[in-house]
Amino acid sequence: MKKKTLNLTQGNIFTALLLFVAPIILGSLIQQLYITADGVIVGQFNGKSGLAAIDSVHTLFKFPLNFMNGLAAGATIMISRYYGAKDGESLHCSIRTAYTVSVVLGLLCSIAGVLMTPFFLDIMAVPEDIYAETAAYTRVYFGGIWAMILFNMASGILRALGDSKRPLYVLLLCSALNIAGDLLLVGGFRLGVRGAAAATVLAQILSAVYTMWLLAEIEREEGQKKIWHMHFCKEHMLFMVKIGFPLALQAILFPVANSMVQASVNSMGTDQIAAWGICDKLDMLIWLTADAMSPALTTYTAQNMGAQKAERVKRGVLVGTAMSAVCVAVISVILFFATDIMGHWFVSAKDAGTVVPLSVRYMKLMAPFFVFYALAESFSGACCSMGDTVKPMLITLLCTCLLRVICILAILPGYRSMECIVWIYIASWVAMGTAFSVLFYIRGRGLKEAVYKG
């Protein structure tokens, strides 16, 4: 296991973070590739109605995925600390406990999602002209969401051990399978959005199985029972829930607010839904870069907390945040000037004339403010690894979710425009980035005491 993992408690900080975060960013890019492939292939073969059917519910799937990713982040913090402290017995017990939780909750999420699809679509105010396609896509996607949950938990465990490369290799395979499946099912068999969902689900199932095998091999090398020997350890489960539940709650607050925003977008018509969907796919480059640094700093901070290296924690967080902010700024400039060109990738020529100019207008407003999101994600990941996950949850609730909801209910009715929605997003990014920067400054002042308390 030691040859395949990276110890972040020693060596040059910039190099260590770069080696660790680069595979996460590449993995996120690859993951975005097959999400984008769904949009491109569906948009070309099914037109703007197919694209709108997918985009009208994309925030819906983030509820179970984000909640489980929050618990996975709690597991990552726990496992990283045991790894940094070289506590082998607790390390392997916590790994098996985390995976068992993901198996049980993943199956429950799939069952509930399939059964409640009509209710969810009514809440999301999906237009009647795309309702049938959207319902089919949603049921298939929810039916396989358990595999996505298992894969995300397994990838989090591997990253907690300092291994960010093998999840990348799995995503390479998953992306190739997903794109091939899209071309076959959507382009070849003309299954429309059902085919796109099925291709994604099948690729994720294979990824989950392979990643579980990787964890089983790690356990075997260490003389432990394989991962499918499921186990509940009360102590480790309580630790994971204590740290992870606020993160899980924080994670689902985003799609709660965003679903309200999406419902407002849906009420404005198919052109606006498609244009907003194009923006969402293009600015995903921003989210994946910023979001990659968050788990990287979570693992980095937790390992160094376990090794009781307070000064290294502070230096590393500042270095990592600067790396993320610079990357996001560069991408923002590209999106500001190139959305007009890239927007044509997602719709047929007959629809581009109405949809793409709308996407360009929205992106030019957003691009100068993306850096605030990068600051928020980096400082949030670091603060959570310091042991306090409640304050980040409250910041997310107040500065992002509550702010967006209040603006949607109180301000949007007076303007009824997409530009108003864009400015609501911008305000939340600025508020969140500022608040998390202040929180890290406060937490950093008492870091030495927190490290020695464990």
Side-chain angles (χ1 to χ4, degrees), residues 328-347:
V328 166
V330 172
I331 297 170
S332 298
V333 172
I334 294 172
L335 292 178
F336 187 90
F337 291 105
T339 294
D340 187 27
I341 297 172
M342 295 185 288
H344 287 78
W345 299 345
F346 299 95
V347 288

Side-chain angles (χ1 to χ4, degrees), residues 6 8-9 12-25 73-74 76-78 80-81 156 159-160 162 164 243 247 288-306 309-326 373-387 389 436-437 440 447:
L6 179 64
L8 299 172
T9 64
N12 181 271
I13 293 175
F14 178 84
T15 302
L17 279 173
L18 183 62
L19 290 175
F20 187 69
V21 79
I24 299 177
I25 293 176
T76 297
I77 293 170
M78 173 178 63
S80 295
R81 287 196 180 186
R159 284 194 295 268
S164 58
I243 298 296
L247 294 175
L288 67 86
T289 301
D291 291 349
M293 186 56 73
S294 182
L297 287 178
T298 294
T299 299
Y300 172 89
T301 303
Q303 283 194 13
N304 282 279
M305 291 282 287
K309 296 184 176 182
E311 288 303 317
R312 184 176 175 86
V313 168
K314 286 196 280 189
R315 292 199 305 273
V317 172
L318 294 176
V319 169
T321 302
M323 292 167 62
S324 179
V326 169
Y373 182 83
L375 296 177
E377 284 298 294
S378 295
F379 287 135
S380 175
C383 290
C384 290
S385 287
M386 294 176 186
T389 56
F436 274 116
S437 299
F440 175 73
L447 187 57

Side-chain angles (χ1 to χ4, degrees), residues 250 254 372-373 375-377 395-396 399-400 403-404 426-438:
Q250 172 186 339
F254 271 104
F372 285 95
Y373 182 83
L375 296 177
E377 284 298 294
I395 288 176
T396 301
C399 295
T400 304
L403 177 60
R404 289 179 186 175
I426 291 171
S428 67
W429 299 334
V430 173
M432 188 168 63
T434 303
F436 274 116
S437 299
V438 173

